[in-house]
Structure formats: structure tokens, C-alpha cells
Amino acid sequence: MTFLKINNLNLNYFINFLIILMPVSFIAGNLIINLNLMLIIIFSLLFYGKDIFQVKLFFFDKLLVFVFAFCIFTSIASTYLFQNNTPNNIDTFTIKKTFSFLRFLFFYFVLRFLVEKKIFNFKFFFISTAICSIFVSIDLIYQFINGKDIFGFSSSSFKLSGPFGDEEIAGSYLQRFSVFSFFLVSIYFIKLPKERKFLIYFSLLLLFFYSVFLAGNRMPIILFMLFWILLFIFENKIRKYSVLFFLTLFVFFFLMFSFNDQVNNYSLHFYKTTVQLVTFIPDLISNKTISDFPNTYIKEFYSGIKSWQENIFIGGGINSFHYNCVKTVAACASHPHNYYLEILSENGLIGMMLWGGIFVYIFYVSILKKFFIKSNINNNNLITPFAILFFIEIFPIKTSGSFFTTGNATYIFFIMAVIIALYRKSQYN
């Protein structure tokens, strides 16, 4: 019996080791993310496969399985029914991509099991995200001062990439992962003196916001601020620190806007782009033909709508956007830079309703159940960062990467699985 307990403990530590490598893998790139993802799935099935397959499916699980089945149907239908190719020249790219996308369904079920059975160690994960976020922040500051980061990557524009090399996604990484650092302190180090907590919160806030600002990505800056606005609204315990953050943020941004020409021009350009987008929304909705695009965002949104209209109800299948887009819009991007337009384009109106049902359900069991409806999950502070981050991730009015790519899908299904598992635990424990 003792041997079995020790053996199970070692298995749990090994699985948690793979999980805490996730923030590291997001720095290393998609190849490592995929490798880490598959290792978590494979070893979890090897260690706990019998128990995982015996997990009882409830409504959300069945809905998610149905959505994936619909994705397979749309890819097959669009390939064999709607392509204008000869039988001997059919492109099965979307079918291959769709079956590859099934790994995220397995990832969801595995991770949900690990959280529900208390194998997932949140403290280890929070520590990992804190270390990685601090590392990325310091590397960005080092790159800003020296022109190159510690790996030798240089900055070629106002935007800094830090350890991400040619990919300017450092701001997005910090917006997604840095917030767990604050919950590490508030949940697992509750015995720390208030003065020390205050110092830690204040130092981390300044470090992360300054780093997100240095990264130069406008949307992560806005989403980072949105996270703290929502936290200020929903969490009484952190509200006093949020007030300090907003005051510091306002002073910091005012000084940078007033005395740094690059920041001034960058901010004004963002404002101008936003106004242009809002102005063109009626034309986009009314399907008016647009020949002159004042900025790339409008062009990408327009191409998303045009691509969707190629197959309104079921879409063209996963990763079909570019294939359909070039039929109506010249020089299309790889995706329309908005999750909802991409889902419409690739899964159609029916798929949008199905994915929308997924999003609404998670919003209900996390945000509404946690903050507005009296339930067993009210006192579960672990769900708070995941709930707010998920809401921000699926926020409709924002530019984004591709919903179906490795990095974004891994992040989305990771948060999704944790939220559902924590909700289920609160309901039945």
C-alpha cells in the first residue's frame, strides 16, 4: 500500500512537471507547445487512462464533443461538396487540420480530470507562470536598454519581442500569464505581513505593466488594463491594490504620452485606427463593397465577412479562410484577426452558434455564478483569474490571432478545462 502511494505521488509530480512547463513552452514556440501538449495527453492516459475513460459526460462535455463532430462534418462537406476541383485533384488540407485539432478535445478531458481529482497542483503552476513572466519582463527591459535581449535578439521597431525573437507577442504573453503571480501571493501566501504583500503587489504591477508597455502591442495593453478593471469591480480583497495600480498607471501613461514622441504618435495612431474601424462598421454589417481600406484591420474584418459569405451556414472548414478569402479579396491574410469572424468563415453560422453556446456556458458558470449568483463557487478564489482571462480572451470587440492555431487553442482549452473542472468540484464536493 505504501509503495502504491509513493508510486502515485511520483506520477502526480511528473504530470505536474509537464503542466508547469506550459508557460515555458509558450516562450519556446509552437513546436514545443505541441510537444508538451501531447506529452500531457499521452502520459495522463498511460497513468490514469482507465479512470479518465470512466468519467461521466455531462451537458457541456456532450456539447463540446458535438461541436468537434460538427467541425469534422464541415471540413468533409466543404472539401467534397463545395470545392471546384476534379475528383482526382481534391485538396484535403482542411480535413487534415480538423482531425489534428481533435488533440485539444483530448487535452480538455485530460486536464479536466486532473483538476477534478486534485492531481493538478495550482501552486506549482502559479509559481511557474510568475517565474516565466518575471523573466520575460526583465528580458524586455534588458532589450530596451541594450538593443538586444539576453539571447541576442534585437529590436527592429518601437515594438520589443524579448525572448520571442521575430514574433512580437511578448505583450500578449504577459497579459495572459502575469496575472497569476498576484493570485499566487493572495491565495498561497496569505500569512505574509500586509506591508510585504503590498510591496510585492506594487512591484509586480509596475514591472508587468511597464514591460507590456515596452512590448508595444496595443491590444495587450488594453486587455491588461481591462483585466484589472474587472478585478477592481469583482474582487473586494484586491480592490485597494487596484486603486493604487490605476493611479500609478495614469501618472505613468501621462508622463510617457507627454514626453515621449514615439508613445505619443503610437497612441494617436491607435485612436485614429479605432475611430476608422467604428466608422466603417455600418458598411461592414450592410455588406457594402469597400474599395479603399483606411487601415489593415478594416481590410481583415472585411475579408472575414466576404470569406464567410462563400458558405454561410457551415463554413469552409478549419483553416479554410485564406482559400475562400482570395476568391473575393486580393492579398488576404492567413486569418481575419478576430475569433468570431474566423469561426463564421470556417464553421459558418451554425458553428458560430455552437461555439457561442460553449462561450456562454463558461461565462455563466464562471463570471455569473462566481460574482452575481449565489452558489457554491462564490468562495472559490482559484477560479477568479481563469474566469476573467477567459472573458477577456473571447471578448468580441478585439483583434486577435487565429482561434484554431496551436498557441491560442492550447491557451483557450486549458482555461476552459480548469473552469469547468473547478465548477464541477464546487457542485459535487
Side-chain angles (χ1 to χ4, degrees):
M1 183 66 69
T2 304
F3 171 76
L4 288 176
K5 286 183 179 180
I6 294 174
N7 190 41
N8 288 336
L9 185 63
N10 289 335
L11 296 180
N12 293 351
Y13 275 125
F14 180 74
I15 291 296
N16 274 288
F17 173 73
L18 294 177
I19 292 174
I20 66 175
L21 286 179
M22 288 197 66
V24 181
S25 68
F26 272 80
I27 298 175
N30 284 341
L31 177 63
I32 305 302
I33 295 175
N34 267 320
L35 177 61
N36 195 14
L37 180 85
M38 295 308 299
L39 288 176
I40 292 173
I41 294 172
I42 291 170
F43 281 105
S44 294
L45 292 175
L46 286 175
F47 296 162
Y48 318 106
K50 184 178 178 181
D51 295 326
I52 292 174
F53 286 115
Q54 289 179 351
V55 170
K56 186 177 180 180
L57 301 183
F58 71 109
F59 170 76
F60 180 83
D61 298 330
K62 294 175 182 178
L63 176 60
L64 190 61
V65 171
F66 183 78
V67 171
F68 273 81
F70 178 79
C71 289
I72 294 174
F73 165 75
T74 59
S75 65
I76 294 175
S78 64
T79 298
Y80 290 101
L81 297 180
F82 304 119
Q83 280 192 25
N84 296 320
N85 296 332
T86 63
N88 297 325
N89 190 33
I90 290 178
D91 188 353
T92 59
F93 175 76
T94 59
I95 295 178
K96 295 174 184 176
K97 284 292 184 179
T98 302
F99 277 97
S100 173
F101 193 69
L102 285 175
R103 67 191 186 276
F104 298 108
L105 181 62
F106 288 102
F107 181 58
Y108 162 80
F109 280 112
V110 163
L111 200 63
R112 202 200 96 185
F113 169 84
L114 296 175
V115 175
E116 285 190 6
K117 298 301 179 182
K118 300 181 180 180
I119 298 170
F120 187 114
N121 190 307
F122 283 94
K123 184 177 180 180
F124 289 170
F125 176 73
F126 285 6
I127 290 173
S128 175
T129 57
I131 292 172
C132 290
S133 297
I134 292 171
F135 166 74
V136 170
S137 298
I138 293 174
D139 194 50
L140 283 169
I141 295 172
Y142 183 87
Q143 188 180 49
F144 176 70
I145 296 173
N146 297 281
K148 293 184 178 181
D149 84 323
I150 62 174
F151 298 108
F153 296 126
S154 58
S155 57
S156 57
S157 64
F158 175 66
K159 297 180 181 180
L160 301 179
S161 60
F164 297 95
D166 296 332
E167 294 186 281
E168 297 172 339
I169 57 173
S172 177
Y173 180 90
L174 291 174
Q175 175 262 310
R176 285 176 163 182
F177 289 105
S178 66
V179 295
F180 293 113
S181 307
F182 303 95
F183 289 86
L184 171 66
V185 177
S186 63
I187 296 175
Y188 294 104
F189 296 96
I190 56 178
K191 294 183 179 180
L192 281 176
K194 291 184 179 180
E195 296 78 11
R196 190 173 297 181
K197 276 188 180 180
F198 178 83
L199 180 61
I200 292 173
Y201 284 138
F202 186 68
S203 300
L204 290 176
L205 283 169
L206 283 180
L207 175 65
F208 292 143
F209 178 71
Y210 182 59
S211 302
V212 172
F213 200 87
L214 283 181
N217 305 107
R218 291 168 290 194
M219 189 54 65
I221 295 173
I222 294 172
L223 297 180
F224 188 81
M225 294 168 60
L226 178 60
F227 178 90
W228 282 98
I229 292 172
L230 294 175
L231 200 62
F232 174 82
I233 294 172
F234 295 138
E235 282 293 328
N236 294 329
K237 294 180 180 179
I238 305 182
R239 188 166 297 167
K240 55 184 177 181
Y241 303 110
S242 299
V243 171
L244 174 64
F245 169 67
F246 287 125
L247 289 174
T248 305
L249 181 152
F250 176 78
V251 173
F252 175 80
F253 184 78
F254 177 78
L255 292 174
M256 292 291 288
F257 185 83
S258 301
F259 299 105
N260 188 302
D261 291 337
Q262 282 184 313
V263 174
N264 186 292
N265 294 333
Y266 202 59
S267 302
L268 292 176
H269 179 264
F270 177 73
Y271 172 77
K272 179 181 177 181
T273 302
T274 303
V275 171
Q276 289 173 341
L277 182 59
V278 172
T279 303
F280 270 79
I281 283 177
D283 292 338
L284 295 174
I285 295 176
S286 64
N287 195 29
K288 181 180 178 180
T289 300
I290 301 174
S291 57
D292 183 24
F293 299 95
N295 63 65
T296 56
Y297 298 110
I298 294 175
K299 182 178 181 180
E300 288 163 354
F301 286 9
Y302 178 76
S303 64
I305 293 173
K306 286 296 182 181
S307 178
W308 166 48
Q309 291 171 348
E310 288 295 310
N311 198 327
I312 293 177
F313 293 105
I314 67 170
I318 291 177
N319 283 100
S320 65
F321 167 76
H322 186 79
Y323 175 82
N324 289 322
C325 177
V326 293
K327 296 178 182 179
T328 54
V329 181
C332 291
S334 57
H335 57 89
H337 289 82
N338 179 273
Y339 286 160
Y340 296 90
L341 288 177
E342 183 180 17
I343 292 172
L344 278 171
S345 171
E346 302 187 357
N347 285 165
L349 189 61
I350 297 174
M352 183 68 260
M353 290 189 292
L354 292 173
W355 283 110
I358 294 288
F359 299 158
V360 169
Y361 185 91
I362 295 179
F363 179 79
Y364 170 74
V365 301
S366 57
I367 297 292
L368 294 182
K369 281 274 190 176
K370 168 66 177 173
F371 301 113
F372 296 100
I373 302 173
K374 188 175 182 180
S375 65
N376 293 336
I377 207 168
N378 292 150
N379 296 321
N380 189 332
N381 293 324
L382 274 175
I383 202 172
T384 300
F386 295 98
I388 298 178
L389 284 172
F390 187 82
F391 173 74
I392 290 174
E393 188 67 22
I394 63 161
F395 194 67
I397 311 174
K398 76 181 184 76
T399 57
S400 63
S402 172
F403 180 80
F404 297 104
T405 53
T406 297
N408 290 332
T410 301
Y411 179 77
I412 291 169
F413 281 92
F414 178 84
I415 295 182
M416 187 185 298
V418 171
I419 290 175
I420 293 298
L422 290 176
Y423 171 71
R424 296 280 294 173
K425 282 177 63 179
S426 70
Q427 293 295 105
Y428 299 104
N429 290 346

Coordinates of all heavy atoms in Angstrom, one line a residue, residues 164-217:
F164 N 11.1 36.2 -27.6 CA 10.3 35.6 -28.7 C 10.8 35.8 -30.1 O 10.2 35.4 -31.1 CB 8.8 36.2 -28.6 CG 8.1 35.8 -27.4 CD1 8.1 36.7 -26.3 CD2 7.5 34.6 -27.2 CE1 7.5 36.4 -25.1 CE2 6.8 34.3 -26.0 CZ 6.8 35.2 -25.0
G165 N 12.0 36.5 -30.2 CA 12.7 36.6 -31.5 C 11.9 37.5 -32.4 O 11.6 38.6 -32.2
D166 N 11.6 36.9 -33.6 CA 10.9 37.6 -34.6 C 9.4 37.8 -34.4 O 8.8 38.7 -35.0 CB 11.0 36.9 -36.0 CG 12.5 36.8 -36.4 OD1 13.2 37.7 -36.1 OD2 12.8 35.8 -37.2
E167 N 8.8 37.1 -33.4 CA 7.4 37.3 -33.1 C 7.2 38.3 -32.0 O 7.8 38.2 -30.9 CB 6.9 35.9 -32.6 CG 6.8 34.8 -33.6 CD 6.1 33.6 -33.1 OE1 6.7 32.8 -32.3 OE2 5.0 33.4 -33.4
E168 N 6.4 39.3 -32.4 CA 6.2 40.4 -31.4 C 5.0 40.1 -30.6 O 3.9 40.8 -30.7 CB 6.0 41.7 -32.2 CG 7.3 42.1 -33.0 CD 7.0 43.3 -33.9 OE1 5.9 43.6 -34.3 OE2 8.0 44.0 -34.3
I169 N 5.1 39.1 -29.7 CA 4.0 38.7 -28.9 C 4.3 38.7 -27.4 O 3.6 38.1 -26.6 CB 3.6 37.2 -29.3 CG1 4.8 36.3 -29.1 CG2 3.0 37.2 -30.7 CD1 4.4 34.8 -29.3
A170 N 5.3 39.4 -27.0 CA 5.7 39.5 -25.6 C 4.6 40.1 -24.7 O 4.3 39.6 -23.6 CB 7.0 40.3 -25.4
G171 N 4.0 41.1 -25.3 CA 2.9 41.8 -24.5 C 1.7 40.9 -24.3 O 1.1 40.8 -23.2
S172 N 1.4 40.1 -25.4 CA 0.3 39.2 -25.2 C 0.6 38.1 -24.2 O -0.3 37.7 -23.4 CB 0.0 38.5 -26.6 OG -1.0 37.6 -26.5
Y173 N 1.8 37.6 -24.2 CA 2.2 36.6 -23.2 C 2.1 37.1 -21.8 O 1.5 36.4 -21.0 CB 3.7 36.2 -23.5 CG 4.2 35.1 -22.5 CD1 4.1 33.8 -22.8 CD2 4.8 35.5 -21.3 CE1 4.5 32.8 -22.0 CE2 5.2 34.5 -20.4 CZ 5.1 33.2 -20.8 OH 5.6 32.2 -19.9
L174 N 2.5 38.3 -21.5 CA 2.4 38.9 -20.2 C 1.0 39.1 -19.8 O 0.6 38.9 -18.7 CB 3.3 40.2 -20.1 CG 4.8 40.0 -20.2 CD1 5.5 41.3 -20.2 CD2 5.3 39.2 -19.0
Q175 N 0.2 39.6 -20.8 CA -1.2 39.8 -20.5 C -1.9 38.5 -20.1 O -2.8 38.5 -19.2 CB -1.9 40.4 -21.7 CG -3.4 40.6 -21.6 CD -4.2 39.5 -22.3 OE1 -3.9 39.2 -23.4 NE2 -5.1 39.0 -21.6
R176 N -1.5 37.4 -20.7 CA -2.1 36.1 -20.4 C -1.6 35.4 -19.1 O -2.4 34.8 -18.4 CB -1.9 35.2 -21.6 CG -2.7 35.5 -22.8 CD -2.4 34.5 -24.0 NE -3.4 34.5 -25.0 CZ -3.3 33.8 -26.1 NH1 -2.3 33.0 -26.3 NH2 -4.3 33.8 -27.0
F177 N -0.4 35.6 -18.8 CA 0.2 34.7 -17.8 C 0.6 35.5 -16.5 O 0.7 34.9 -15.4 CB 1.4 34.0 -18.3 CG 1.1 32.9 -19.3 CD1 1.3 33.0 -20.6 CD2 0.5 31.7 -18.8 CE1 0.9 32.0 -21.5 CE2 0.2 30.7 -19.7 CZ 0.4 30.8 -21.0
S178 N 0.9 36.8 -16.6 CA 1.5 37.5 -15.5 C 0.5 37.6 -14.3 O 0.9 37.7 -13.1 CB 2.0 38.9 -15.9 OG 0.9 39.7 -16.3
V179 N -0.8 37.7 -14.6 CA -1.8 37.9 -13.6 C -1.9 36.8 -12.5 O -2.3 37.0 -11.4 CB -3.2 38.1 -14.2 CG1 -3.2 39.4 -15.1 CG2 -3.6 36.9 -15.0
F180 N -1.4 35.6 -12.9 CA -1.4 34.5 -11.9 C -0.4 34.8 -10.8 O -0.6 34.2 -9.7 CB -1.0 33.2 -12.6 CG -2.1 32.7 -13.6 CD1 -1.8 32.7 -15.0 CD2 -3.3 32.3 -13.2 CE1 -2.7 32.2 -15.9 CE2 -4.3 31.8 -14.1 CZ -4.0 31.8 -15.4
S181 N 0.5 35.6 -11.0 CA 1.5 36.0 -9.9 C 0.8 36.6 -8.7 O 1.2 36.3 -7.6 CB 2.6 36.9 -10.5 OG 3.2 36.4 -11.6
F182 N -0.2 37.4 -9.0 CA -0.8 38.1 -7.9 C -1.7 37.1 -7.1 O -1.8 37.2 -5.8 CB -1.7 39.2 -8.4 CG -0.9 40.2 -9.2 CD1 -0.9 40.1 -10.6 CD2 -0.3 41.3 -8.6 CE1 -0.1 41.0 -11.4 CE2 0.5 42.2 -9.4 CZ 0.5 42.0 -10.8
F183 N -2.3 36.1 -7.7 CA -3.1 35.1 -7.0 C -2.2 34.1 -6.3 O -2.7 33.5 -5.3 CB -4.0 34.5 -8.0 CG -5.1 35.4 -8.5 CD1 -4.9 36.2 -9.6 CD2 -6.4 35.4 -7.8 CE1 -5.9 37.1 -10.0 CE2 -7.4 36.3 -8.2 CZ -7.2 37.1 -9.3
L184 N -1.0 33.9 -6.8 CA 0.0 33.1 -6.0 C 0.2 33.7 -4.6 O 0.2 33.0 -3.6 CB 1.3 33.1 -6.8 CG 2.5 32.4 -6.1 CD1 2.2 30.9 -5.8 CD2 3.8 32.6 -6.8
V185 N 0.3 35.0 -4.6 CA 0.5 35.7 -3.3 C -0.7 35.7 -2.5 O -0.7 35.3 -1.3 CB 1.0 37.1 -3.5 CG1 1.2 37.8 -2.2 CG2 2.4 37.1 -4.3
S186 N -1.9 36.0 -3.1 CA -3.1 36.2 -2.3 C -3.7 34.9 -1.8 O -4.4 34.9 -0.8 CB -4.1 37.0 -3.2 OG -4.5 36.2 -4.3
I187 N -3.4 33.8 -2.5 CA -4.0 32.5 -2.2 C -3.1 31.6 -1.4 O -3.5 31.0 -0.4 CB -4.5 31.7 -3.4 CG1 -5.6 32.5 -4.1 CG2 -5.0 30.3 -3.1 CD1 -6.1 31.9 -5.5
Y188 N -1.8 31.6 -1.7 CA -0.9 30.6 -1.1 C 0.1 31.3 -0.1 O 0.8 30.5 0.5 CB -0.1 29.9 -2.2 CG -1.0 29.0 -3.1 CD1 -1.4 29.4 -4.4 CD2 -1.5 27.8 -2.6 CE1 -2.2 28.7 -5.2 CE2 -2.3 27.1 -3.4 CZ -2.7 27.5 -4.7 OH -3.5 26.7 -5.4
F189 N 0.1 32.6 -0.1 CA 1.0 33.2 0.9 C 0.2 34.2 1.7 O 0.6 35.4 1.9 CB 2.2 33.9 0.2 CG 3.1 32.9 -0.5 CD1 2.9 32.7 -1.9 CD2 4.1 32.3 0.2 CE1 3.7 31.8 -2.5 CE2 4.9 31.4 -0.5 CZ 4.8 31.1 -1.8
I190 N -0.9 33.7 2.3 CA -1.9 34.6 3.0 C -1.3 35.0 4.3 O -1.8 36.0 4.9 CB -3.2 33.9 3.2 CG1 -3.0 32.5 3.9 CG2 -3.9 33.7 1.9 CD1 -4.3 31.8 4.2
K191 N -0.3 34.3 4.9 CA 0.3 34.7 6.2 C 1.3 35.8 6.1 O 1.9 36.2 7.1 CB 0.8 33.5 6.8 CG -0.2 32.4 7.2 CD 0.4 31.2 8.0 CE -0.7 30.2 8.3 NZ -0.1 29.1 9.1
L192 N 1.7 36.2 4.9 CA 2.6 37.3 4.7 C 2.1 38.5 5.4 O 0.9 38.8 5.3 CB 2.9 37.5 3.3 CG 3.9 36.6 2.5 CD1 4.0 36.9 1.1 CD2 5.3 36.6 3.2
P193 N 3.0 39.3 6.0 CA 2.5 40.6 6.5 C 1.9 41.5 5.4 O 2.3 41.5 4.3 CB 3.8 41.2 7.1 CG 4.7 40.1 7.3 CD 4.4 39.1 6.3
K194 N 0.9 42.3 5.8 CA 0.3 43.2 4.8 C 1.2 44.1 4.1 O 1.1 44.4 2.9 CB -0.8 44.0 5.5 CG -2.0 43.1 6.0 CD -3.1 44.0 6.6 CE -4.3 43.1 7.0 NZ -5.4 44.0 7.6
E195 N 2.2 44.6 4.9 CA 3.2 45.5 4.3 C 4.0 44.8 3.2 O 4.3 45.4 2.1 CB 4.1 46.1 5.3 CG 3.4 47.0 6.4 CD 2.7 46.1 7.4 OE1 2.9 44.9 7.4 OE2 2.0 46.7 8.2
R196 N 4.4 43.6 3.4 CA 5.2 42.9 2.4 C 4.3 42.5 1.2 O 4.8 42.6 0.1 CB 5.7 41.6 3.1 CG 6.7 40.9 2.2 CD 7.4 39.7 2.9 NE 8.1 40.2 4.1 CZ 8.8 39.4 4.9 NH1 8.8 38.1 4.7 NH2 9.5 39.9 5.9
K197 N 3.0 42.1 1.5 CA 2.1 41.9 0.3 C 2.0 43.1 -0.5 O 2.0 43.0 -1.8 CB 0.7 41.4 0.9 CG 0.6 40.0 1.2 CD -0.9 39.7 1.5 CE -1.0 38.2 1.9 NZ -2.4 37.9 2.2
F198 N 1.8 44.2 0.1 CA 1.6 45.5 -0.6 C 2.8 45.8 -1.5 O 2.7 46.2 -2.6 CB 1.4 46.6 0.4 CG 1.3 48.0 -0.2 CD1 0.1 48.4 -0.7 CD2 2.4 48.8 -0.4 CE1 0.0 49.7 -1.3 CE2 2.3 50.1 -0.9 CZ 1.1 50.5 -1.4
L199 N 4.0 45.6 -0.9 CA 5.3 45.8 -1.7 C 5.4 44.9 -2.9 O 5.8 45.3 -4.0 CB 6.5 45.6 -0.8 CG 7.9 45.8 -1.4 CD1 8.0 47.3 -1.9 CD2 9.0 45.5 -0.4
I200 N 5.0 43.6 -2.7 CA 5.1 42.6 -3.8 C 4.1 43.0 -4.9 O 4.4 43.0 -6.1 CB 4.8 41.2 -3.2 CG1 5.9 40.7 -2.3 CG2 4.6 40.2 -4.4 CD1 5.6 39.4 -1.6
Y201 N 2.8 43.3 -4.5 CA 1.8 43.6 -5.5 C 2.2 44.8 -6.3 O 2.2 44.9 -7.5 CB 0.5 43.9 -4.8 CG -0.3 42.7 -4.3 CD1 -0.9 42.7 -3.1 CD2 -0.4 41.6 -5.1 CE1 -1.7 41.6 -2.7 CE2 -1.1 40.5 -4.7 CZ -1.7 40.5 -3.5 OH -2.5 39.4 -3.1
F202 N 2.7 45.9 -5.5 CA 3.1 47.1 -6.2 C 4.2 46.9 -7.2 O 4.2 47.4 -8.3 CB 3.4 48.2 -5.2 CG 3.6 49.5 -5.7 CD1 2.6 50.3 -6.3 CD2 4.9 50.1 -5.7 CE1 2.8 51.5 -6.8 CE2 5.1 51.4 -6.2 CZ 4.1 52.1 -6.8
S203 N 5.2 46.2 -6.7 CA 6.4 45.9 -7.6 C 6.1 45.1 -8.8 O 6.5 45.4 -9.9 CB 7.5 45.1 -6.7 OG 7.9 45.9 -5.6
L204 N 5.2 44.1 -8.6 CA 4.8 43.3 -9.8 C 4.0 44.1 -10.8 O 4.1 43.9 -12.0 CB 4.0 42.0 -9.3 CG 4.9 41.0 -8.6 CD1 4.0 39.8 -8.1 CD2 6.0 40.4 -9.5
L205 N 3.1 44.9 -10.2 CA 2.2 45.7 -11.1 C 3.1 46.6 -12.0 O 2.9 46.7 -13.2 CB 1.3 46.5 -10.2 CG 0.0 45.8 -9.7 CD1 -0.7 46.7 -8.7 CD2 -0.9 45.4 -10.8
L206 N 4.0 47.3 -11.3 CA 4.9 48.2 -12.1 C 5.7 47.5 -13.1 O 5.8 47.9 -14.3 CB 5.8 49.0 -11.1 CG 5.2 50.1 -10.3 CD1 6.2 50.8 -9.4 CD2 4.6 51.2 -11.3
L207 N 6.3 46.3 -12.7 CA 7.1 45.5 -13.6 C 6.4 45.0 -14.8 O 6.8 45.2 -15.9 CB 7.7 44.3 -12.8 CG 8.6 43.4 -13.7 CD1 9.8 44.0 -14.2 CD2 8.9 42.1 -12.9
F208 N 5.2 44.4 -14.6 CA 4.5 43.8 -15.7 C 3.9 44.9 -16.6 O 3.9 44.8 -17.8 CB 3.4 42.9 -15.1 CG 3.9 41.7 -14.5 CD1 3.3 41.2 -13.3 CD2 5.0 41.1 -14.9 CE1 3.8 40.0 -12.7 CE2 5.6 39.9 -14.3 CZ 4.9 39.4 -13.2
F209 N 3.3 46.0 -16.0 CA 2.7 47.0 -16.9 C 3.8 47.7 -17.7 O 3.6 47.9 -18.9 CB 1.9 48.0 -16.1 CG 1.3 49.1 -17.0 CD1 0.3 48.8 -17.8 CD2 1.9 50.4 -17.0 CE1 -0.2 49.8 -18.7 CE2 1.3 51.3 -17.8 CZ 0.3 51.0 -18.6
Y210 N 4.9 48.0 -17.1 CA 6.0 48.7 -17.8 C 6.5 47.8 -18.9 O 6.7 48.2 -20.1 CB 7.1 49.0 -16.9 CG 8.3 49.7 -17.5 CD1 8.1 51.0 -18.2 CD2 9.5 49.2 -17.5 CE1 9.1 51.6 -18.8 CE2 10.6 49.9 -18.1 CZ 10.4 51.1 -18.7 OH 11.4 51.7 -19.3
S211 N 6.5 46.5 -18.7 CA 7.0 45.5 -19.7 C 6.0 45.4 -20.8 O 6.4 45.3 -22.0 CB 7.3 44.2 -19.0 OG 8.2 44.3 -18.0
V212 N 4.7 45.3 -20.5 CA 3.7 45.2 -21.5 C 3.8 46.4 -22.4 O 3.6 46.4 -23.6 CB 2.3 45.0 -20.9 CG1 1.2 45.1 -22.0 CG2 2.2 43.7 -20.2
F213 N 4.0 47.6 -21.7 CA 4.1 48.8 -22.4 C 5.3 48.8 -23.4 O 5.2 49.3 -24.5 CB 4.2 50.0 -21.4 CG 3.8 51.3 -22.0 CD1 2.5 51.7 -22.0 CD2 4.7 52.2 -22.5 CE1 2.1 53.0 -22.5 CE2 4.4 53.4 -23.1 CZ 3.1 53.8 -23.1
L214 N 6.4 48.3 -22.9 CA 7.6 48.3 -23.7 C 7.4 47.4 -24.9 O 8.0 47.6 -26.0 CB 8.8 47.8 -22.9 CG 9.5 48.7 -21.9 CD1 10.6 48.1 -21.2 CD2 10.0 50.0 -22.6
A215 N 6.7 46.3 -24.7 CA 6.5 45.4 -25.8 C 5.8 46.0 -27.0 O 6.0 45.6 -28.2 CB 5.6 44.2 -25.4
G216 N 5.0 47.1 -26.7 CA 4.5 47.9 -27.8 C 3.2 47.4 -28.5 O 2.8 48.0 -29.4
N217 N 2.7 46.3 -28.0 CA 1.5 45.8 -28.6 C 0.3 46.4 -28.0 O 0.1 46.3 -26.8 CB 1.4 44.2 -28.4 CG 2.6 43.5 -29.0 OD1 3.4 43.0 -28.2 ND2 2.7 43.4 -30.3

